[in-house]
Amino acid sequence: MISVEGLSKRYGELRAVDGISLRVARGELFGFLGPNGAGKTTTISMICGLLRPDDGTVFIGEYNLWESPKAAKRLLGLVPQEPAFYEEFSARENLLFWGGLYGVPRPELKKSSDAILERVGLAERAKEPVSRYSGGMKRRLNLAIGLVHRPQVLLLDEPTVGIDPQARNNILEIIRDIAREGTTILFTTHHLEEAEKLCDRIAIMDHGRILQTGSVGELAKVVGDREVVTLRGKFTAQQIEQCLQHEPVAVLSLADQLATLHLVREGYGMASLVSHLSKSGIELADLSIQKPTLESVYLKLTGRELRD
């Protein structure tokens, strides 16, 4: 339903998006996962037609976005990172206004607006000015506006940023239900747990490039089946690096007093690692072990924590 080939965008010497390609199937919930500045918003802005790429093509369904923009955009709904509505209007007035711009017939639009407001939990306060809404309510209205014309493809750019956990979970549940009903969704986030819980497939993105794509299970294989070890203690990054340079471990992330490692050789376990660290004078305060996760995959691919 979404087909992107060789998409690029440059700002002077900066390659904000660097030749990415992807396919999102009809009804799939596909996530872009990456830190702030990875190129996610620039990518989604090009996919929806707000920003013209320097190179590459975008197809929405059968339509080339730049050759048949009106036909392609009729299939699209967009929920931008920054809320896009009029605060002096009520929620219902906002839906009627934006739905009218999509050309939805007025009788159909009224019914659709009421149904969507009910779905996002705003029906009881639909006639109030949006200026009185909480942050979570505004995020739900932002989502409702993206759905008012019943799009086949929904693009969501960080739809839960800046809201409390309860409101966030509410929005994620609505998104999950929409996907189950057959809407194709492209979703950007820098929250690991959102991508892990929500998405059928995930593209890990950084520095304008897609580093790896797959389901959570497929991505975990990038790290392998061996445990991921987190060390905390009185050591510097340089001490750990020197200590482990000849050991069968892959260093996923490294900082003073904190290191994340991946054991890469069969037969080399925790006892061997702890013994070697102790003999090297490394003082540990805490050691934890876990199976490979989405976070450990990200660390292996980028060498830094997602929250950076």
Side-chain angles (χ1 to χ4, degrees):
M1 200 63 189
I2 302 173
S3 178
V4 173
E5 194 70 42
L7 204 62
S8 297
K9 187 65 182 179
R10 294 176 292 275
Y11 296 99
E13 296 299 314
L14 174 66
R15 287 182 173 268
V17 176
D18 191 6
I20 70 169
S21 300
L22 63 97
R23 303 283 187 278
V24 183
R26 186 181 298 275
E28 185 176 18
L29 207 168
F30 187 95
F32 267 128
L33 175 65
N36 293 326
K40 304 186 303 297
T41 295
T42 302
T43 299
I44 212 167
S45 296
M46 290 190 286
I47 291 174
C48 73
L50 287 175
L51 186 64
R52 184 133 198 164
D54 295 323
D55 299 292
T57 58
V58 176
F59 277 82
I60 306 299
E62 63 186 278
Y63 301 109
N64 184 309
L65 179 63
W66 296 106
E67 293 178 359
S68 306
K70 288 185 178 179
K73 290 178 182 180
R74 284 193 191 100
L75 304 179
L76 285 174
L78 174 65
V79 180
Q81 188 172 147
E82 294 300 323
F85 44 68
Y86 293 101
E87 296 219 355
E88 64 271 26
F89 288 4
S90 69
R92 194 167 190 270
E93 288 168 339
N94 267 288
L95 291 185
L96 293 174
F97 173 78
W98 291 105
L101 293 182
Y102 277 108
V104 181
R106 193 72 172 183
E108 179 185 333
L109 181 56
K110 288 181 178 180
K111 290 181 181 179
S112 175
S113 297
D114 290 341
I116 291 169
L117 288 169
E118 183 71 40
R119 178 166 208 167
V120 301
L122 295 175
E124 292 185 3
R125 299 182 63 178
K127 296 181 180 180
E128 289 185 33
V130 175
S131 58
R132 298 181 190 173
Y133 283 10
S134 67
M137 292 172 69
K138 289 178 179 179
R139 282 288 168 190
R140 281 183 276 152
L141 175 59
N142 209 39
L143 175 59
I145 291 170
L147 294 170
V148 69
H149 60 299
R150 302 187 183 279
Q152 295 182 39
V153 178
L154 184 64
L155 308 178
L156 300 124
D157 189 14
E158 303 274 7
T160 64
V161 67
I163 58 175
D164 64 78
Q166 185 177 8
R168 184 173 158 204
N169 287 336
N170 181 272
I171 287 174
L172 294 178
E173 188 59 40
I174 294 168
I175 293 168
R176 189 180 291 110
D177 287 344
I178 293 165
R180 286 173 184 153
E181 293 166 7
T183 302
T184 304
I185 295 179
L186 180 60
F187 173 86
T188 77
T189 183
H190 62 272
H191 292 292
L192 284 160
E193 67 275 17
E194 284 188 4
E196 203 159 15
K197 290 178 181 177
L198 207 63
C199 299
D200 299 316
R201 285 192 304 139
I202 299 164
I204 296 178
M205 189 173 185
D206 200 12
H207 299 301
R209 296 181 179 180
I210 292 176
L211 306 178
Q212 197 82 27
T213 302
S215 66
V216 172
E218 289 168 343
L219 290 172
K221 294 177 182 177
V222 172
V223 176
D225 297 328
R226 302 296 309 282
E227 293 88 354
V228 175
V229 182
T230 301
L231 308 175
R232 291 179 174 83
K234 295 180 180 179
F235 53 77
T236 66
Q238 185 177 15
Q239 286 174 322
I240 287 288
E241 189 171 28
Q242 291 176 346
C243 175
L244 297 177
Q245 61 181 335
H246 299 302
E247 295 300 295
V249 301
V251 178
L252 302 179
S253 69
L254 191 58
D256 291 347
Q257 302 180 49
L258 179 65
T260 305
L261 319 170
H262 177 224
L263 306 182
V264 298
R265 191 180 74 194
E266 199 70 38
Y268 186 91
M270 291 304 305
S272 301
L273 175 64
V274 172
S275 175
H276 178 73
L277 292 170
S278 178
K279 290 177 182 177
S280 301
I282 301 295
E283 186 177 342
L284 296 179
D286 181 64
L287 182 152
S288 61
I289 308 168
Q290 62 182 20
K291 289 294 184 181
T293 64
L294 198 54
E295 183 174 13
S296 59
V297 174
Y298 190 91
L299 293 173
K300 181 178 178 66
L301 292 173
T302 68
R304 60 179 177 152
E305 292 188 13
L306 187 63
R307 61 178 176 269
D308 286 352

